[in-house]
């Protein structure tokens, strides 16, 4: 682990720092040569899809495209380290619970299925058939299939996700909490109402033609590094890039492309953002509405700035929105976003002067109470000038994990469309359940209430990723059985039910051999491109099964004697699974043929064709008022003179979702530590404290529950007054289970009302410094 220090970074994103970081990751995982060779097969026609983020590949067929994030994910999966039965024999679960999240995953790849025995508080080896039998006994012993909950991570392939939703629906429930519920659910909810589809409409080609790109609540330098290559090219050709974010992120300021030999040789870099607006946490709605108001004022003054022909032909709701904008108060908009009208007008002028505009956003937009309304405001802004359905323009929600969008396409959804259920019945000969199931937050509540008895997770780290950690851990421990399909050990295997199983699976980089030979799986990226992924490395253990194999064998065991689905036959050759996907989803016509083309194929996106699958068959302008009575506003009124901060959770640069690769956050200048809080220097002074002091967080909520996270070091940082930022999962205990996005159910992890009080447990500081995060809650 690096020496603990705060030393603000002055270089660009990418560059030699990124290459050095990847080299360290490969060496740390004892896989320098193998890992380097593996990286050369990432995103190649005969290789595997990167197991990192969902940003698309421009060619997926030619040159290696460097990405620090993906390289670390590949190194972690290709590690030479192994977690064997001997490891579990040496450690009780109680012992492992005292270790950090980094320690758990850093032990290496799991090698065989394990079952928990309460008698000695340890995991023990179990045969695969015995594991499937145990799960089937629990599932078939439930009086109601809705007492079982089936979680899905965005790492699951299309083939695995399709089999999974088929099995679970044939079993009898729509309980499908998934990672979408915790990230981009508001994007889908908001866009379906506005334009009839819950996906972005742009492709990478549009980035080559956009005259302006707006980036809301996103940090591509850490979360989607390959996106910086597109932004760099756009900046070099003169496109204006407008970043709207509470924190100044280095990747949105300057970028050195590791693929650019001249830039690397000369230590050069490319400026990215032409405009950077640091608004208050949660101020995006007011900022965008102010941009729209500016356009209306120009139109009313006689300037022709709106696309009236597009509005008349393709939309409804414009007049109501227009009336609302004319009466909106500039003072209110300024107050809510924390920026002046001049700043808002400047951003609006960039939008007005561009003939084609892309709007991107990340979880800085989606994890708020009013996130759906904010996304609909961004969509309104695009519709006002016809910036949907033409080259170089459109909405671009940038999703996280590599196949999170594909999983939803395959039917991983607690609110399944009627057409999906009808097609499943037609193709597979059973009547699927019609009632909506539990999303992620509802699943936690169901387990707390005793309505959820069995929890099965296809990937992910549910215990670390979810909000309200104390309640979530109680919920998992309340289950009769918890099961996790995984590649590596994580917190969710330590926070388990009365009975528990760990089922190790193949990684994306590994050869998947079935009866029909070596198999490939498919994934869908953030821009609806579907392509093949074929592993190249020998499996980490001979006992590993693929995710499709685990699902198919479990289904065959659980549904024995009552299912017509040929589970084991489908497993022999994944092209058979794809044939069934084609039979259920019309957009996958000729699936097996089309996916053989290098780079794959794009699914139809109706909104990009200006075909609006809404009730009116038109795009809809949605009118919303500036949110009042928010949780933050209520907390500040209730606490009076106390300083209530808006806390946003964030990733460090050495982290992907809940996977922590190390304790450094290079671009923010934090080394060797994670329990830090970024705050404005004046706010620190107003607290009567100084940079480097330690604080405890306390959530301000109205349900009587105490939520706290102790021992965070104050770091003076460039962030708006009244706003603070800290890493998750360390701050997840502060997010109330009941604090979710309206009309989407996503936890509001980007705006938590908190107090920062002087740290009262100095004896725990050493433990925090050692990285023992979230060990006991």
């Amino acid at each position: 682990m690096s020496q603990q220090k705060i030393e603000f970074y002055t270089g660009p994103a990418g560059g030699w720092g990124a290459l050095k970081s990847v080299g360290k990751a490969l060496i740390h995982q004892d896989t320098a040569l193998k890992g380097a060779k593996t990286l050369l097969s990432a995103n190649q026609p005969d290789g595997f899809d990167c197991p990192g983020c969902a940003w698309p590949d421009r060619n997926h067929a030619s040159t290696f495209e460097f990405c620090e994030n993906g390289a670390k994910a590949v190194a972690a999966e290709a590690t030479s380290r192994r977690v064997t039965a001997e490891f579990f024999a040496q450690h009780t679960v109680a012992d492992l619970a005292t270790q950090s999240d980094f320690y758990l995953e850093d032990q290496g790849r799991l090698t065989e299925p394990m079952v928990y025995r309460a008698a000695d508080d340890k995991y023990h080896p179990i045969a695969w058939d015995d594991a499937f039998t145990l799960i089937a006994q629990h599932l078939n012993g439930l009086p109601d299939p809705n007492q079982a909950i089936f979680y899905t991570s965005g790492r699951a392939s299309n083939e695995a996700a399709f089999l999974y939703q088929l099995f679970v629906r044939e079993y009898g429930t729509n309980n499908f909490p998934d990672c979408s519920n915790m990230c981009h659910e508001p994007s889908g909810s908001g866009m379906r109402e506005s334009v009839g589809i819950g996906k972005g409409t742009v492709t990478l080609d549009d980035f080559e033609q956009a005259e302006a790109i707006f980036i809301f609540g996103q940090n591509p330098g850490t979360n989607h590094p390959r996106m910086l290559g597109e932004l760099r090219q756009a900046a070099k050709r003169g496109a204006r890039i407008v970043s709207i974010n509470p924190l100044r992120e280095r990747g949105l300021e300057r970028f050195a492309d590791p693929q650019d030999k001249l830039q690397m040789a000369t230590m050069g870099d490319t400026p990215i953002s032409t405009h950077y607006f640091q608004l208050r946490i949660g101020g995006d709605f007011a900022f965008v509405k102010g941009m729209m108001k500016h356009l209306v004022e120009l139109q009313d003054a006689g300037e022709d700035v709106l696309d009236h022909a597009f509005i008349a032909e393709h939309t409804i709701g414009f007049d109501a929105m227009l009336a609302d904008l004319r009466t909106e108060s500039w003072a209110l908009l300024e107050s809510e976003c924390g920026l002046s009208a001049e700043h808002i007008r400047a951003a609006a002028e960039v939008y007005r002067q561009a003939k084609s505009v892309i709007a991107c956003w990340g979880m800085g937009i989606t994890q708020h109470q009013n996130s759906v309304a904010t996304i609909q405001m961004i969509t309104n802004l695009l519709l006002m000038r016809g910036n949907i359905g033409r080259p170089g323009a459109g909405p671009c929600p940038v999703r996280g994990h590599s196949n999170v969008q594909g999983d939803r396409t395959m039917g991983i959804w607690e609110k399944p469309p009627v057409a999906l259920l009808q097609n499943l019945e037609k193709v597979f000969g059973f009547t699927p359940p019609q009632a909506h199931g539990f999303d992620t937050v509802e699943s936690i509540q169901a387990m707390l209430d005793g309505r959820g008895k069995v929890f099965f997770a296809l990937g992910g780290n549910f215990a670390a990723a979810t909000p309200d950690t104390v309640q979530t851990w109680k919920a998992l421990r309340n289950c009769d059985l918890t099961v996790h399909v995984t590649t590596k050990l994580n917190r969710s295997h330590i926070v388990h039910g009365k009975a528990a199983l760990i089922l190790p699976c193949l990684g994306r980089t590994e050869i998947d051999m079935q009866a029909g030979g070596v198999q490939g799986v498919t994934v869908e990226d953030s821009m609806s491109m579907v392509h093949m992924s074929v592993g190249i490395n020998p499996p980490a253990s001979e006992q590993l099964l693929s995710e499709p194999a685990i699902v198919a064998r479990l289904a065959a065991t659980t549904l024995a004697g009552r299912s017509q689905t040929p589970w084991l036959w489908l497993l022999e050759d994944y092209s058979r699974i794809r044939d069934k996907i084609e039979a259920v989803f019309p957009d996958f016509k000729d699936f097996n043929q089309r996916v053989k083309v290098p780079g794959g194929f794009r699914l139809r996106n109706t909104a990009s064709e200006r075909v609006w699958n809404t009730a009116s068959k038109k795009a809809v302008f949605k009118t919303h008022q500036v949110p009042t009575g928010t949780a933050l506003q209520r907390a500040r009124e209730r606490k009076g003179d106390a300083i209530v901060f808006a806390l946003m959770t964030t990733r460090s640069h050495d982290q992907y979702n809940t996977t922590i690769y190390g304790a450094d956050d290079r671009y923010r200048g934090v080394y060797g530590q994670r329990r830090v809080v970024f705050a404005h220097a004046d706010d620190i002074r107003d607290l009567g404290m100084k940079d480097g002091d330690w604080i405890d967080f306390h959530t301000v909520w109205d349900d009587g529950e105490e939520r706290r996270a102790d021992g965070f070091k104050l770091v003076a940082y460039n962030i708006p007054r009244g706003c603070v930022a800290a890493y998750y999962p360390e701050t997840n205990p502060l997010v109330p289970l009941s604090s979710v996005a309206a009309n989407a159910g996503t936890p509001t992890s980007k705006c938590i009302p908190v107090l920062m009080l002087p740290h009262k447990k100095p004896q725990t500081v050493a433990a925090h410094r050692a990285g023992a995060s979230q060990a006991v809650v």
Side-chain angles (χ1 to χ4, degrees):
M1 183 174 292
S2 302
Q3 176 187 358
Q4 288 191 8
K5 61 180 179 179
I6 305 294
E7 185 176 273
F8 289 115
Y9 182 73
T10 58
W16 290 108
L19 289 175
K20 180 180 178 181
S21 180
V22 169
K24 288 173 60 178
L26 293 172
I27 293 170
H28 178 76
Q29 297 296 341
D30 300 324
T31 186
L33 181 60
K34 175 187 173 185
K37 289 182 177 179
T38 302
L39 284 172
L40 293 175
S41 294
N43 302 322
Q44 299 300 298
D46 56 349
F48 62 91
D49 183 77
C50 175
C53 76
W55 188 257
D57 306 297
R58 177 156 293 283
N59 296 315
H60 205 89
S62 57
T63 58
F64 167 66
E65 186 175 6
F66 175 86
C67 168
E68 181 179 353
N69 187 319
K72 289 177 181 177
V74 169
E77 187 170 288
T79 179
S80 64
R81 302 181 183 193
R82 299 290 181 264
V83 180
T84 64
E86 286 73 22
F87 172 86
F88 287 106
Q90 295 169 9
H91 299 279
T92 65
V93 169
D95 292 337
L96 294 173
T98 65
Q99 299 293 336
S100 70
D101 294 320
F102 171 77
Y103 170 89
L104 295 176
E105 296 212 22
D106 198 47
Q107 300 312 298
R109 293 289 301 279
L110 293 158
T111 59
E112 59 186 304
M114 306 296 293
V115 62
Y116 176 72
R117 304 294 185 199
D120 61 358
D121 190 35
K122 291 182 178 180
Y123 278 98
H124 297 264
I126 184 173
W128 277 106
D129 284 345
D130 292 340
F132 294 136
T133 298
L134 177 61
I135 301 168
Q137 288 173 345
H138 275 271
L139 291 175
N140 291 329
L142 295 175
D144 181 354
N146 291 309
Q147 292 181 339
I149 293 167
F150 297 88
Y151 178 74
T152 319
S153 160
R155 61 152 285 150
S157 67
N158 288 330
E159 290 75 11
F162 180 79
L163 289 183
Y164 193 51
Q165 64 84 29
L166 177 63
F167 158 55
V168 172
R169 290 195 165 103
E170 195 163 352
Y171 169 70
T173 185
N174 284 315
N175 285 344
F176 279 114
D178 75 322
C179 53
S180 290
N181 298 151
M182 292 186 286
C183 57
H184 272 280
E185 195 70 56
S187 298
S189 299
M191 293 178 64
R192 277 191 297 273
E193 290 184 354
S194 294
V195 298
I197 189 170
K199 301 180 180 182
T201 67
V202 302
T203 67
L204 287 181
D205 290 340
D206 290 311
F207 277 80
E208 293 182 340
Q209 302 175 65
E211 293 188 5
I213 301 169
F214 283 73
I215 304 171
F216 295 90
Q218 186 194 357
N219 178 16
T222 288
N223 301 335
H224 308 90
R226 281 180 293 135
M227 182 179 176
L228 292 182
E230 300 299 329
L231 296 178
R232 173 178 177 266
Q233 291 302 320
K236 289 178 70 174
R237 64 176 173 78
R240 296 216 263 181
I241 298 174
V242 181
S243 294
I244 303 101
N245 200 56
L247 292 172
R248 292 192 71 90
E249 302 291 9
R250 185 50 48 89
L252 292 172
E253 295 177 318
R254 292 184 288 132
F255 175 56
D257 189 347
Q259 273 78 238
D260 188 320
K261 295 178 181 178
L262 178 61
Q263 196 166 74
M264 293 294 285
T266 60
M267 305 295 287
D269 57 66
T270 303
I272 299 298
S273 296
T274 56
H275 300 72
Y276 208 122
F277 298 100
Q278 283 184 264
L279 40 58
R280 289 178 184 156
I281 290 172
D284 304 87
F285 178 98
F287 188 88
V288 176
K289 193 169 188 180
M291 291 177 63
M292 294 163 60
K293 182 175 177 64
H294 175 74
L295 296 177
V296 169
E297 290 180 347
L298 291 179
Q299 188 70 39
D300 288 346
E303 295 190 43
D304 191 17
V305 299
L306 305 183
D307 191 335
H308 296 286
F310 173 86
I311 291 169
E313 180 181 355
H314 290 284
T315 74
I316 63 171
F318 179 70
D319 289 341
M321 188 193 72
L322 195 63
D324 176 65
L325 289 172
R326 284 172 174 156
T327 59
E328 188 59 87
S329 161
W330 272 112
L332 177 61
L333 297 175
E334 290 176 309
S335 173
E336 288 302 308
C337 75
L339 295 171
S340 68
E342 287 71 25
H343 284 114
I344 300 171
R345 291 182 190 276
E349 278 298 298
V350 174
Y351 178 75
R352 180 185 70 84
Q353 294 167 14
K355 294 179 181 178
S356 53
V357 178
I358 292 173
C360 306
W361 65 86
M363 286 189 287
I365 294 295
T366 63
Q367 291 184 327
H368 289 269
Q369 180 182 338
N370 63 317
S371 56
V372 171
T374 302
I375 288 161
Q376 290 178 340
M377 277 293 165
I378 295 172
T379 307
N380 288 345
L381 179 67
L382 294 171
L383 290 173
M384 290 176 80
R385 287 177 53 82
N387 275 309
I388 299 181
R390 72 179 185 210
C396 181
V398 185
R399 287 175 164 85
H401 223 317
S402 62
N403 200 41
V404 61
Q405 185 161 302
D407 288 352
R408 180 56 58 88
T409 300
M410 290 295 100
I412 301 296
W413 196 4
E414 76 280 359
K415 301 178 179 65
V418 172
L420 168 61
L421 301 181
Q422 291 174 339
N423 288 346
L424 288 174
E425 183 168 9
K426 179 180 178 182
V427 174
F428 292 99
F430 74 97
T431 301
Q434 306 295 305
H436 289 174
F438 299 138
D439 65 16
T440 295
V441 170
E442 291 166 344
S443 294
I444 297 169
Q445 192 61 58
M447 290 186 284
L448 278 170
D449 297 343
R451 293 175 290 133
K453 296 293 187 181
V454 173
F455 178 82
F456 188 103
L458 186 65
N461 185 357
F462 193 85
T466 42
D468 216 340
T469 306
V470 170
Q471 297 302 311
T472 295
W473 289 15
K474 286 181 181 177
L476 289 168
R477 288 167 172 152
N478 204 30
C479 290
D480 293 333
L481 173 69
T482 53
V483 184
H484 294 274
V485 178
T486 185
T487 58
K488 304 180 83 174
L489 189 65
N490 65 44
R491 183 66 54 188
S492 295
H493 314 141
I494 310 306
V495 183
H496 55 74
K498 299 175 183 68
L501 287 163
I502 301 173
L503 306 181
C505 66
L506 293 173
R508 189 80 58 79
T509 63
E510 292 172 315
I511 298 168
D512 182 353
M513 179 67 73
Q514 302 297 334
V518 175
Q519 303 298 311
V521 296
T522 59
V523 296
E524 177 187 347
D525 62 34
S526 269
M527 295 181 186
S528 302
M529 291 295 297
V530 178
H531 49 266
M532 185 71 75
S533 176
V534 182
I536 62 164
N537 290 333
S541 165
E542 293 181 356
Q543 294 197 55
L544 301 185
L545 296 181
S546 70
E547 288 179 321
I550 291 172
V551 174
R553 289 178 61 176
L554 175 59
T557 304
T558 304
L559 304 178
R562 56 190 174 106
S563 173
Q564 300 176 29
T565 302
W567 298 102
L568 301 183
W569 178 82
L570 289 171
L571 180 60
E572 291 176 356
D573 188 333
Y574 294 175
S575 67
R576 297 170 180 173
I577 304 173
R578 291 189 283 273
D579 284 340
K580 295 299 183 182
I581 292 173
E582 176 182 340
V584 171
F585 299 104
D587 285 351
F588 284 82
K589 181 176 173 58
D590 299 325
F591 191 1
N592 277 307
Q593 289 68 42
R594 294 162 73 195
V595 82
K596 291 178 182 177
V597 177
F601 63 93
R602 188 171 189 241
L603 294 172
R604 186 188 182 199
N605 188 296
T606 50
S608 69
E609 303 170 11
R610 295 188 171 178
V611 174
W612 318 104
N613 287 332
T614 61
S616 64
K617 302 304 178 185
K618 301 270 190 176
V620 182
F621 282 100
K622 304 290 289 188
T623 299
H624 298 284
Q625 301 300 310
V626 175
T628 58
T630 66
L632 182 62
Q633 291 166 341
R634 296 196 311 271
R636 286 174 172 166
E637 290 173 1
R638 189 162 66 251
K639 286 298 180 180
D641 293 336
I643 304 176
V644 177
F645 292 92
L647 166 67
M648 60 180 283
T649 69
T650 188
R651 294 176 183 169
S652 77
H653 190 64
D654 239 0
Q655 174 179 359
Y656 186 69
N657 293 340
T658 58
T659 301
I660 298 169
Y661 300 122
D664 294 348
D665 192 355
R666 186 169 76 252
Y667 298 153
R668 297 191 184 113
V670 177
Y671 297 89
Q673 56 198 310
R674 289 184 52 82
R675 296 188 84 89
V676 299
V677 50
F678 303 103
H680 194 284
D682 291 343
D683 284 333
I684 295 175
R685 186 164 50 250
D686 287 351
L687 288 171
M689 305 180 77
K690 62 183 184 299
D691 186 29
D693 283 351
W694 291 78
I695 62 95
D696 295 338
F697 282 120
H698 292 251
T699 301
V700 182
W701 206 244
D702 49 15
D703 60 0
E705 295 284 341
E706 182 185 49
R707 296 177 179 87
R708 59 186 296 165
D710 294 348
F712 288 79
K713 182 161 60 175
L714 286 165
V715 176
Y717 206 76
N718 186 356
I719 188 171
R721 295 287 309 266
C723 302
V724 294
Y727 304 130
Y728 72 85
E730 289 85 352
T731 48
N732 284 357
L734 299 167
V735 186
L737 197 61
S738 59
S739 183
V740 297
N743 303 314
T746 300
T748 61
S749 302
K750 293 297 182 284
C751 190
I752 312 161
V754 296
L755 300 176
M756 295 198 300
L757 304 178
H759 182 50
K760 292 186 177 179
K761 297 181 179 179
Q763 71 274 15
T764 66
V765 171
H768 296 325
R769 289 176 176 171
S773 65
Q774 210 174 273
V776 179
V777 173

